[in-house]
Amino acid sequence: MERESWKRWMESCTLCPRNCKVNRLEGKRGVCGVTGQIQAARAALHFWEEPCISGERGSGAVFFSGCSMGCVFCQNEMISHGKTGEEISVERLAKIFLKLQNQENAHNINLVTPTHYVPQIADALRMAKERGLVIPVVYNSSSYEKKETLNMLEGLIDIYLPDFKYMDSQISKRYSHAADYSFWAKQALEEMVRQVPLAQFDDDGMMKKGVIVRHLLLPGCRKDSKAVLRYLRETYGDQIYISLMNQYTPMPGIANYPELNRKITAREYEWMIDYALDLGIENGFIQEGETAKESFIPAFDGEGILPARK
C-alpha cells in the first residue's frame, strides 16, 4: 500500500461490517462516529492487560476514538462515540509509536479499537518500522471486522488481542445492534490466526507473537459464554490463548437494560472457569480478585497524543 493510499478507503467507507459507505474523507461520520482523520484520546503506558502483554513496564496503549460496535455497556463510552480525542496525522501517529518505544520503554505498541483507522495505522506502522520500531505490535479489537480490512495489516501485527463477545445473534443484536456479530467475528479470528499461527514468548514470559481471544462475561449470559468457549476450543484447540474476563462494570446509561445493572458474581465466574477446564482449555488467563472497578478505565485526557509545548 502506497503512502496516503488510505484516503481512497475513506471516500466510501466499508472497512467494517456496517458498510456505511459515507465519505469520511469529506468529514462525514459513519456508525463509528468519526471522520477519516485519525482521532486518539490517549497514548501512554497501560498496566491492566494480560500479564504477558503489560509485563512490568506496561503496554504502550494508543486509545483511538470512535467504535463500530456501539455496545450498550461500553466501559470506554467517553471515547467510543468519537466525542473525545485529538486529531492527528499519520506522521504524528508514527512518532507516537516510536516515543512509546524509545522514551516510555513500553513492552509493545497496543492499538486499542483500531478497526476504523486500519489503512492509516498500516501506513503509520510502516513509517515507524522504517525509523526503528522493533517492539511487538498488538491489535486490540472487537472482532467485528472484515478479512479484507485485516489483510491490510499482514506482516505488521505481531499479537492479535480480539474479543469474542457473543455467539447468540439475539444477544448481540440487543447489546451491540449487530445480529451478525458472530458471523464476522469467526471470519476475523480465522484471518488473525492465519497471519499469526503460533504463539511465541520470550524468557521473561512476554508474548512476542500469537493470538489471545478475550471473552467478557455478562450478567445472565452464561449459556452464550459457554457456546463461545466451546467454539474457540473446538476450532482452535491450543493454538490460541483464551482470556476469561470478569471485569464487567455497570455503566451509566443502561436504564433500558436492567438485567445488566449488576456485576458478575464470584460463583458465576467460578462456573465458567470450571467449564473452561472441562473443555480442556489450558492456554488461558483468568482475573483474580475485585476487577470490576472503574479504576481500570484510564483517563482519556489526551496524554501522549499531541507534542509537548515548549
Side-chain angles (χ1 to χ4, degrees):
M1 185 181 292
E2 297 179 0
R3 291 279 161 77
E4 295 203 346
S5 61
W6 58 267
K7 290 183 178 179
R8 67 185 178 88
W9 292 94
M10 300 294 112
E11 292 175 344
S12 179
C13 189
T14 57
L15 287 174
C16 83
R18 302 292 188 187
N19 288 321
C20 293
K21 296 185 179 181
V22 302
N23 192 332
R24 294 171 60 196
L25 198 60
E26 290 186 349
K28 295 181 180 179
R29 299 175 185 269
V31 172
C32 60
V34 291
T35 68
Q37 187 69 39
I38 302 170
Q39 190 175 327
R42 180 181 173 87
L45 296 177
H46 191 62
F47 295 90
W48 296 284
E49 308 289 28
E50 286 73 10
C52 65
I53 302 295
S54 291
E56 294 183 356
R57 300 196 306 270
S59 178
V62 181
F63 288 86
F64 294 97
S65 301
C67 180
S68 60
M69 280 292 286
C71 302
V72 299
F73 53 82
C74 181
Q75 291 180 280
N76 292 344
E77 188 175 11
M78 183 182 296
I79 63 171
S80 63
H81 297 307
K83 297 179 181 178
T84 301
E86 301 288 346
E87 292 188 349
I88 56 174
S89 65
V90 170
E91 170 84 16
R92 176 59 190 161
L93 183 58
K95 290 180 178 179
I96 288 172
F97 295 157
L98 291 168
K99 180 177 182 291
L100 287 167
Q101 171 184 271
N102 300 334
Q103 297 181 35
E104 304 294 338
N105 200 25
H107 285 291
N108 44 60
I109 300 299
N110 187 350
L111 309 169
V112 185
T113 320
T115 306
H116 42 292
Y117 296 121
V118 161
Q120 298 98 313
I121 288 171
D123 275 2
L125 285 173
R126 290 190 184 92
M127 193 180 297
K129 287 175 182 287
E130 289 172 2
R131 299 175 185 178
L133 182 69
V134 295
I135 58 176
V137 178
V138 181
Y139 187 87
N140 185 340
S141 78
S142 69
S143 290
Y144 192 55
E145 47 207 329
K146 298 179 175 180
K147 281 187 175 182
E148 296 84 354
T149 301
L150 292 169
N151 192 252
M152 298 182 214
L153 296 164
E154 186 160 8
L156 297 172
I157 303 299
D158 302 284
I159 300 167
Y160 278 103
L161 186 61
D163 294 334
F164 202 112
K165 295 178 181 291
Y166 323 97
M167 191 65 72
D168 188 287
S169 62
Q170 292 301 312
I171 297 176
S172 61
K173 180 180 180 180
R174 177 165 172 77
Y175 296 148
S176 297
H177 315 292
D180 57 353
Y181 174 82
S182 65
F183 171 82
W184 293 104
K186 288 176 181 178
Q187 293 192 39
L189 182 55
E190 181 182 31
E191 173 64 15
M192 294 173 186
V193 174
R194 185 194 68 80
Q195 290 185 25
V196 191
L198 298 174
Q200 297 178 16
F201 297 84
D202 66 15
D203 293 339
D204 296 320
M206 297 299 297
M207 181 173 268
K208 294 301 181 184
K209 287 185 178 294
V211 177
I212 302 174
V213 182
R214 289 171 161 173
H215 178 66
L216 176 67
L217 302 186
L218 294 175
C221 295
R222 184 168 54 164
K223 181 180 179 181
D224 194 51
S225 289
K226 286 184 174 182
V228 169
L229 295 182
R230 187 167 58 252
Y231 172 79
L232 295 175
R233 176 61 180 172
E234 292 177 351
T235 306
Y236 296 103
D238 293 329
Q239 191 173 10
I240 64 172
Y241 280 70
I242 297 174
S243 182
L244 193 57
M245 305 169 71
N246 70 344
Q247 68 186 50
Y248 172 75
T249 303
M251 301 297 288
I254 59 168
N256 293 328
Y257 307 88
E259 71 275 19
L260 294 180
N261 195 26
R262 68 173 180 86
K263 299 177 183 179
I264 294 296
T265 67
R267 184 58 183 147
E268 286 173 318
Y269 192 50
E270 289 170 3
W271 280 332
M272 292 311 303
I273 293 173
D274 289 343
Y275 184 73
L277 293 173
D278 289 342
L279 288 173
I281 295 173
E282 296 182 353
N283 292 345
F285 301 92
I286 60 173
Q287 294 180 315
E288 297 178 350
E290 179 63 34
T291 59
K293 295 180 179 178
E294 291 189 38
S295 60
F296 279 76
I297 305 170
F300 298 118
D301 55 5
E303 179 182 354
I305 298 299
L306 298 179
R309 293 182 179 179
K310 297 182 179 179

